[in-house]
Amino acid sequence: MKRKVNVGLIGYQFMGKAHSNAYRQVGRFFDLPVEVCMHTLCGRTEGPLKAAAEKMGWERTETDWRKVVENPAIDIIDVSTPGDSHAEIAIAAAKAGKAVFCEKPLGNTLAESRAMLEAVEAHQVAHAIFHNYRKAPAVSLAKQMIQEGKLGTIYHWRGTYLQDWIADPNFPLVWRLQKEKAGSGTHGDINAHIIDLARFLIGEIEEVSGLLHTFIKKRPIAGEIDDKLGAKASGQMGDVTVDDAAMFLAKFKNGALGTFEASRFAVGRKNYNRFEINGSKGSVVFNLERMNELEYYDNSAPESTHGFTLIQATEGVHPYAGHYWPVGHIIGYEHTFINLLADAFTAYADNRAISPNFVDGFENQKVLEAVERSSESKCWVKI
Ligand code: SOE
C-alpha cells in the first residue's frame, strides 16, 4: 500500500490550473512511490473556488489559506498565488512542518527569497520551485549532451523569452503589471525562466549589465480576471509600475558569455522561450514553441554534411518521453509540470533534495536583483 501524500493548493488561476492537471496526471503516467491526493483547493471566493475544485478534481475547498497550512492532514503546500503572498504562505507552511512547492519567482524581493529559503532549511521541510521548462525532454536532453561533453567548452548562452500579450495599450492593469503584487514585470516573470535554464545548462552567473524598460506607463484598471492572463478593462486608468522589457548581458563563472532578452512587446511572439548554446564542439537550439525538438550542430561532422540536425526528443531514450506515447506522438506545455512533479514526488518519497528547489529560486533572485541594480546604476553589477 503506497503512502498517501495530501496536497493543498493555494491559488487556482493559470498556474493553479496547470498544477492541478499535473497532480491529477502524474500518477497515471509515472510509477510513483507515493499516492498523490488532491486534498484541498484554496482560494478567496467560495463560488468560483468550488466550481474550480469540481472541474479540476480537488476533494475539498477552503477560503482561508492559514487553515490549509495548519491542517494536520496536509503534507505539501503548493503556492500558486501572485508573488506578493509567496513568502507569507511558504514561511507559514514551513513552520507548520509542511513541504512547500512554490511557483516562480520564489519571492518578490531578494529578502523574501532569502527568508523563504531560511525557513524551509530551518524547519527541514522539502521544497521545490516550478521552473518547469527544465523538464521538457529536449531541454533535459541538452543538459545530458553538455554533461557528456558533446558541445565542448561553452562560449555563448543566448536566451530570449518573448511574448506580446500586453502590447495592446488597452490591455488592463492586471496584477502582473503592478510592482507591489508581482515584484517586477517581464523580468521576474519570464527572465526568471531563462535565468533558470542558463543556470541549469551553463552554470552560475558572475556579473551582469542590464536594462529594464516600460513602454506603456498607464493602462485601464483591471476588472474581472480569467484563468489565463487576461481581464476585463474598467474605465479608469492606473500606473504601470513594472518593466515591459528586460535585457541583460552576463559573464558566467566558467567563462561563457550570455545575453538575455525578455519582453511582453515582441509582437507576434506568443510564448517564444528560445535558447541557443554555442560550444567548441557544437551548438544546440531549443524553442518552446517547438518544444519536442532540439537543433544540434555537431562541429565534428565532415564538412560535406555540416549543418544543424533536428532531433525530435520523443524517443524512449529521451528524458521523460518514454512515459507518454510512441515516438513522434509529441507532448506539450502541461507535460513539463507533470515531469517536474514526477521528479519531485520521487525525491520527496526518498527524502532526497528535490530539483529545482528554493536554493535555485534564491540564486535566481540574486541575478534578477543584480540586473535591476545594474539598470538603475547603468554599471556592471557582480552577483
Ligand atoms: C506569463 O508570462 C506566464 O504565465 C508566466 O508567468 C509563466 O511562468 C510561463 O510559464 C508562461 O507565461
Side-chain angles (χ1 to χ4, degrees), residues 14-15 103-105 130-133 161 163 165 175-176 185-186 188-190 192-193 228-229 264 270-271 273 288 333 336-337:
F14 183 178
M15 287 302 122
E103 257 299 327
K104 41 51 66 186
F130 281 93
H131 274 301
N132 53 303
Y133 295 125
Y161 200 151
Q163 298 173 341
W165 56 283
W175 69 263
R176 280 187 167 88
T186 299
D189 185 26
I190 52 180
H193 277 302
K228 294 180 182 66
L229 292 167
R264 290 168 170 161
K270 303 307 175 185
N271 202 30
N273 176 354
L288 181 69
Y333 168 76
T336 64
F337 291 94

Side-chain angles (χ1 to χ4, degrees), residues 157-229:
W157 161 268
R158 198 166 298 107
T160 54
Y161 200 151
L162 308 177
Q163 298 173 341
D164 67 1
W165 56 283
I166 59 167
D168 176 353
N170 297 312
F171 188 93
L173 196 63
V174 293
W175 69 263
R176 280 187 167 88
L177 307 184
Q178 301 168 39
K179 186 171 183 63
E180 70 279 2
K181 283 277 184 186
S184 63
T186 299
H187 189 45
D189 185 26
I190 52 180
N191 241 349
H193 277 302
I194 49 180
I195 290 167
D196 180 69
L197 288 172
R199 291 190 57 250
F200 177 58
L201 293 163
I202 310 299
E204 296 303 344
I205 294 169
E206 185 171 62
E207 198 172 14
V208 294
S209 175
L211 167 64
L212 273 62
H213 182 71
T214 305
F215 291 111
I216 293 174
K217 314 272 192 231
K218 285 187 179 300
R219 289 180 179 271
I221 303 280
E224 187 188 339
I225 62 170
D226 64 27
D227 65 355
K228 294 180 182 66
L229 292 167

Side-chain angles (χ1 to χ4, degrees), residues 83-308:
D84 62 333
S85 54
H86 285 191
E88 185 182 19
I89 298 171
I91 292 169
K95 285 178 179 170
K98 313 296 187 190
V100 192
F101 293 6
C102 188
E103 257 299 327
K104 41 51 66 186
L106 191 60
N108 273 0
T109 65
L110 186 56
E112 284 184 357
S113 291
R114 182 179 287 111
M116 293 165 80
L117 176 56
E118 287 171 353
V120 295
E121 289 181 339
H123 297 280
Q124 297 182 320
V125 295
H127 47 99
I129 187 169
F130 281 93
H131 274 301
N132 53 303
Y133 295 125
R134 295 181 176 205
K135 307 298 184 179
V139 173
S140 286
L141 173 62
K143 174 76 173 173
Q144 287 177 354
M145 292 169 70
I146 291 168
Q147 286 176 321
E148 290 160 6
K150 284 190 165 60
L151 299 192
T153 302
I154 304 297
Y155 298 130
H156 287 287
W157 161 268
R158 198 166 298 107
T160 54
Y161 200 151
L162 308 177
Q163 298 173 341
D164 67 1
W165 56 283
I166 59 167
D168 176 353
N170 297 312
F171 188 93
L173 196 63
V174 293
W175 69 263
R176 280 187 167 88
L177 307 184
Q178 301 168 39
K179 186 171 183 63
E180 70 279 2
K181 283 277 184 186
S184 63
T186 299
H187 189 45
D189 185 26
I190 52 180
N191 241 349
H193 277 302
I194 49 180
I195 290 167
D196 180 69
L197 288 172
R199 291 190 57 250
F200 177 58
L201 293 163
I202 310 299
E204 296 303 344
I205 294 169
E206 185 171 62
E207 198 172 14
V208 294
S209 175
L211 167 64
L212 273 62
H213 182 71
T214 305
F215 291 111
I216 293 174
K217 314 272 192 231
K218 285 187 179 300
R219 289 180 179 271
I221 303 280
E224 187 188 339
I225 62 170
D226 64 27
D227 65 355
K228 294 180 182 66
L229 292 167
K232 289 190 174 62
S234 69
Q236 289 176 291
M237 298 298 277
D239 292 333
V240 174
T241 51
V242 297
D243 57 283
D244 291 329
M247 311 164 77
F248 68 97
L249 301 176
K251 297 175 189 171
F252 289 87
K253 289 185 175 167
N254 60 15
L257 296 182
T259 61
F260 295 75
E261 180 188 7
S263 178
R264 290 168 170 161
F265 279 71
V267 174
R269 297 299 186 191
K270 303 307 175 185
N271 202 30
Y272 187 84
N273 176 354
R274 178 189 187 275
F275 63 75
E276 178 166 332
I277 301 170
N278 306 130
S280 58
K281 292 184 178 174
S283 297
V284 288
V285 180
F286 171 78
N287 172 3
L288 181 69
E289 292 182 352
R290 301 175 65 100
M291 70 165 270
N292 292 274
E293 299 169 356
L294 186 70
E295 293 179 67
Y296 170 45
Y297 185 93
D298 176 359
N299 206 19
S300 66
E303 208 166 321
S304 58
T305 56
H306 258 179
F308 276 91

